[in-house]
Amino acid sequence: MTQQSCNVSLQPMPGFHREFKLHDIKRKTHFQETLQKRYEHQNIAKRVNDLAARFENKQHLDETDIKAYNDLDDEIVELILSTAKRVGRVDFGYQRSADLCIAGKTIRLHKAILSCIRNDIRYTESIKSLANELNHQLPSRDEINVRQAITNVNEAWKAKRIVEKEDGERRARWLEDICREIARETGQDADKTYKAMIKCALSKGMFKRLKAILKSEWSALDYIEIPNDKWYLDRELNELYEFDNGIFVARSNFVEDLFEDYGSIKVLPKGAVVVEVEKSGDVIQVLNPESIKAPSWSRVTKPEEMEEWLMRRNKRHLQQMYIEKSPPTTEAFAPVLADYGTSELTDEILNGTVDLESLDVSDEM
């Protein structure tokens, strides 16, 4: 290392700084499989071999060589740590208890009541059954309006959040009641099981609180990856994909190597390959369907470039309805939607009082 670095001694990173532990066998296997896929996606093995061949014939390394080595090393470490973080993630969901179940069912009941009030329909049998289960008196239609129903839904959500904050203690009390019932029915001593269950519930609740304090729910975006090519073919689904300003648009095949110009937004499949195409009117022809070229990606790390790509992606996604020429974007719908989606004609249609014969509508309408 001293000779290769021009007589500059470099201290390697301590081994324990790169270590992590996964005691679960399933998670270990999942980690290895996930890391292998990420290595293949980033062509790590080939890049390491290329870098080794580049260094082999050099007696001294310049700053460019050292930077290339460090960048690749940082990327490998980042892949390992991010994969371990993803695979080793613990489920910190709320612990179930009788109180939490009741709170969730209460929200469902009030949302169902709100739906009945808004749509002016009777209470269904399932709503009545749920109300009886919760020992809740259903209000008559004259006693409640939409605003009061919305208020009841919000209050039910607030009550559920209180239960979630005390999930450990409430589950502990619930387990205690269960253990006492079991001991009463079977005559067995459930103290040992009860103590272990209580300790687990309280520890999990405390750990969830500490995690919320020490680590925020959201983290900054480090990088995004952009494909280097525009057209991709998936032979299994028989679909042609175009990368258009941050999204992939899938086009269906209708005969041999010809695809429709109309497409829908989808995620690029894993088995897609890079192809060349030729557009003629509303038809797209794949020129090299036998291609085996795998997709390659470029990493964008500069914040201003990431922001630009995200804005382009969002803009393209929001324009999909206009590109597809959906009915609400046509001239025939303009009088109905007006500027803000509401008009006198809209109210008449919703109220069922519109006179269709008096309207001068197009064939499309």
Side-chain angles (χ1 to χ4, degrees):
M1 177 65 73
T2 301
Q3 180 181 359
Q4 290 290 323
S5 304
C6 304
N7 297 321
V8 177
S9 178
L10 298 178
Q11 181 66 31
M13 180 182 291
F16 60 85
H17 286 174
R18 291 174 177 258
E19 291 180 357
F20 62 93
K21 295 182 180 179
L22 285 174
H23 300 286
D24 192 339
I25 299 299
K26 291 183 178 180
R27 286 183 177 174
K28 288 181 181 178
T29 305
H30 187 199
F31 167 78
Q32 293 173 344
E33 294 176 351
T34 304
L35 184 61
Q36 181 64 30
K37 292 180 180 178
R38 292 188 172 187
Y39 272 9
E40 293 175 356
H41 180 268
Q42 298 297 116
N43 293 325
I44 295 297
K46 181 178 182 303
R47 292 163 63 187
V48 170
N49 291 332
D50 292 344
L51 196 62
R54 172 179 164 184
F55 290 170
E56 187 175 1
N57 299 324
K58 288 191 175 183
Q59 295 182 351
H60 300 286
L61 300 180
D62 53 26
E63 293 182 0
T64 304
D65 297 328
I66 297 176
K67 184 179 184 304
Y69 172 85
N70 289 332
D71 289 345
L72 182 57
D73 180 70
D74 291 341
E75 184 175 347
I76 294 174
V77 172
E78 181 183 346
L79 283 174
I80 294 174
L81 294 180
S82 62
T83 304
K85 181 179 179 181
R86 176 181 177 183
V87 174
R89 185 180 296 128
V90 182
D91 180 15
F92 298 115
Y94 299 110
Q95 303 180 74
R96 186 172 296 277
S97 66
D99 293 340
L100 186 60
C101 293
I102 292 174
K105 291 180 179 180
T106 303
I107 293 175
R108 184 152 55 94
L109 175 63
H110 285 296
K111 290 174 69 175
I113 294 174
L114 173 60
S115 177
C116 291
I117 300 299
R118 277 180 169 168
N119 297 290
D120 194 21
I121 59 177
R122 297 179 181 179
Y123 295 135
T124 63
E125 292 300 324
S126 60
I127 294 178
K128 295 178 181 179
S129 176
L130 183 58
N132 292 332
E133 180 182 350
L134 297 174
N135 196 22
H136 181 86
Q137 182 67 34
L138 288 174
S140 65
R141 303 300 297 273
D142 299 332
E143 296 176 351
I144 187 172
N145 53 28
V146 174
R147 178 172 293 182
Q148 182 60 46
I150 294 176
T151 301
N152 293 341
V153 173
N154 293 334
E155 293 297 328
W157 274 109
K158 292 179 182 178
K160 183 173 181 288
R161 292 189 185 98
I162 294 176
V163 176
E164 291 171 345
K165 291 180 180 179
E166 302 173 352
D167 64 332
E169 293 81 354
R170 290 177 182 266
R171 181 173 176 82
R173 291 196 295 268
W174 180 57
L175 294 177
E176 182 179 3
D177 294 338
I178 293 177
C179 288
R180 288 176 179 175
E181 186 66 25
I182 293 176
R184 188 182 302 112
E185 294 178 356
T186 62
Q188 298 178 358
D189 185 7
D191 288 344
K192 292 183 178 180
T193 305
Y194 166 70
K195 290 180 180 179
M197 296 168 73
I198 294 297
K199 183 178 180 181
C200 179
L202 294 177
S203 299
K204 187 174 182 179
M206 179 60 69
F207 188 79
K208 180 170 65 66
R209 293 193 190 92
L210 290 175
K211 177 178 177 291
I213 295 173
L214 298 176
K215 184 175 181 180
S216 61
E217 185 176 357
W218 304 100
S219 58
L221 187 65
D222 296 328
Y223 66 90
I224 59 175
E225 290 184 334
I226 306 298
N228 296 325
D229 300 279
K230 184 176 180 64
W231 294 95
Y232 301 86
L233 176 65
D234 184 73
R235 297 189 182 91
E236 182 177 352
L237 300 177
N238 204 13
E239 289 181 333
L240 181 67
Y241 291 80
E242 178 189 9
F243 180 72
D244 183 9
N245 288 303
I247 64 173
F248 287 97
V249 182
R251 292 173 167 81
S252 301
N253 174 267
F254 64 90
V255 58
E256 295 183 355
D257 300 329
L258 302 180
F259 294 80
E260 299 176 352
D261 187 37
Y262 173 83
S264 58
I265 298 176
K266 288 187 178 182
V267 178
L268 184 68
K270 293 183 179 180
V273 295
V274 179
V275 294
E276 297 179 359
V277 304
E278 183 178 278
K279 297 186 67 173
S280 177
D282 295 335
V283 177
I284 305 175
Q285 181 181 7
V286 178
L287 301 179
N288 55 337
E290 71 285 351
S291 171
I292 58 173
K293 181 180 178 182
S296 59
W297 306 76
S298 296
R299 178 171 294 191
V300 180
T301 57
K302 294 182 179 180
E304 58 273 12
E305 294 182 9
M306 288 194 293
E307 182 179 0
E308 179 186 356
W309 269 107
L310 292 175
M311 291 179 64
R312 289 171 59 181
R313 186 262 180 200
N314 291 341
K315 180 180 179 181
R316 172 60 180 81
H317 191 269
L318 293 174
Q319 290 176 338
Q320 182 66 15
M321 185 172 64
Y322 292 89
I323 294 174
E324 295 177 353
K325 297 181 180 179
S326 299
T329 64
T330 59
E331 295 182 1
F333 271 81
V336 179
L337 299 178
D339 293 334
Y340 303 104
T342 57
S343 64
E344 293 182 4
L345 180 56
T346 303
D347 295 335
E348 292 177 359
I349 294 174
L350 294 176
N351 294 329
T353 59
V354 64
D355 185 6
L356 296 178
E357 295 181 357
S358 64
L359 294 178
D360 183 16
V361 296
S362 64
D363 295 337
E364 184 178 1
M365 285 288 290

